[in-house]
Amino acid sequence: MSTTTDLPLHPPAAPVLPEPSLVDLLLRDRDQADRACADPAAAARLLPRFIGLSALGIGAWSVVHGLLLSLSTQQLNPVGLFGAPITVTIPALFLAYEGALTGAQVAGLPTFSFYGLMAGFRTHAWRIATESLRARATAALVLMGLLPVYLAVGLGLVLLFPEPGGVGAAWQALVLGIGGFTLPFVAGLAAPASLLRVFRKLAHEAEDSRPGQGRRPMPLLLAMAWSAVFSVMAPVGVFRILAVLVG
């Protein structure tokens, strides 16, 4: 007499784990993000999300900064956004900064690829473009993290010093006129830091695969070159677009 054990014909499928969010990929699970950016298919799926997050960060900053400029009674800005209606300040800021940052990034991609070859990186142009957009998306997250502090400080100054002139004008010139307009660039310092981490990893991989062959990769040189080109082009583009929109 034999006994049989009833077994399912098909083993149960392994549970499908949810994909990490874009915030997790950029800030926490960076190793998985590295693998995704190195795969052309996965990178193609991530590119629209990187672009959307970058635009979202600039959009959130435009709302906060535009609101504070509209509430301020000081006349401190050469392009005339202080005290302008909110329907003018927010669209002008978004179009100027998003247009300038995107334009500088697109215009600089051929240069980034050239600098990559000079720095000893034998990688595809699409990988450089993916890492560039990933770095800007990381900067957008940093920018959104700084916005609550900026909103609290700026709103406090606007409410404490409603009258034009005096010490209130000086403080609002410092916080709104300088700090507010440069905040996206301050947050943008996270971009070269992100690029440097990635390029250092690529450099180690290249040395492990081809020890002693070819030029030694220089990730710091590539990150510095990328930052220099972007830092020159983007502010000029912002000023020119703002001058056209509200000048």
Side-chain angles (χ1 to χ4, degrees):
M1 180 177 175
S2 62
T3 60
T4 60
T5 303
D6 294 333
L7 296 175
L9 297 177
H10 301 286
V16 179
L17 299 177
E19 293 186 1
S21 65
L22 191 57
V23 175
D24 290 332
L25 286 176
L26 292 175
L27 299 181
R28 298 188 185 94
D29 199 353
R30 295 179 179 178
D31 291 336
Q32 182 172 347
D34 293 340
R35 293 189 294 270
C37 291
D39 179 68
R45 294 192 298 268
L46 284 175
L47 285 179
R49 301 173 67 186
F50 288 157
I51 295 172
L53 180 58
S54 301
L56 178 62
I58 294 297
W61 168 83
S62 300
V63 171
V64 172
H65 190 47
L67 174 64
L68 293 176
L69 292 179
S70 298
L71 293 175
S72 175
T73 57
Q74 312 297 336
Q75 298 296 326
L76 305 170
N77 183 21
V79 296
L81 286 178
F82 274 80
I86 197 171
T87 55
V88 173
T89 57
I90 293 178
L93 290 170
F94 178 79
L95 292 175
Y97 276 76
E98 182 63 22
L101 295 177
T102 302
Q105 197 164 29
V106 172
L109 283 178
T111 307
F112 302 157
S113 299
F114 173 72
Y115 286 154
L117 294 176
M118 289 185 60
F121 285 91
R122 297 183 179 181
T123 187
H124 298 282
W126 63 264
R127 180 69 188 275
I128 297 292
T130 302
E131 295 298 347
S132 175
L133 290 169
R134 175 186 174 185
R136 190 179 162 208
T138 303
L141 285 178
V142 175
L143 177 60
M144 287 189 284
L146 295 175
L147 283 180
V149 178
Y150 173 60
L151 176 61
V153 175
L155 191 59
L157 289 174
V158 170
L159 296 178
L160 286 175
F161 303 104
E163 299 298 327
V167 67
W171 277 107
Q172 290 187 42
L174 178 63
V175 175
L176 302 183
I178 297 178
F181 282 97
T182 59
L183 192 60
F185 298 106
V186 173
L189 295 175
S194 174
L195 282 174
L196 181 59
R197 187 196 66 83
V198 171
F199 290 139
R200 279 177 173 170
K201 185 174 182 178
L202 291 176
H204 288 308
E205 293 176 353
E207 291 179 353
D208 292 340
S209 61
R210 299 189 305 273
Q213 298 182 14
R215 182 186 303 173
R216 183 179 179 182
M218 295 177 286
L220 182 59
L221 174 62
L222 182 55
M224 290 178 61
W226 183 92
S227 303
V229 172
F230 194 83
S231 298
V232 170
M233 297 178 65
V236 173
V238 167
F239 183 81
R240 294 292 299 272
I241 296 175
L242 275 179
V244 171
L245 292 175
V246 298

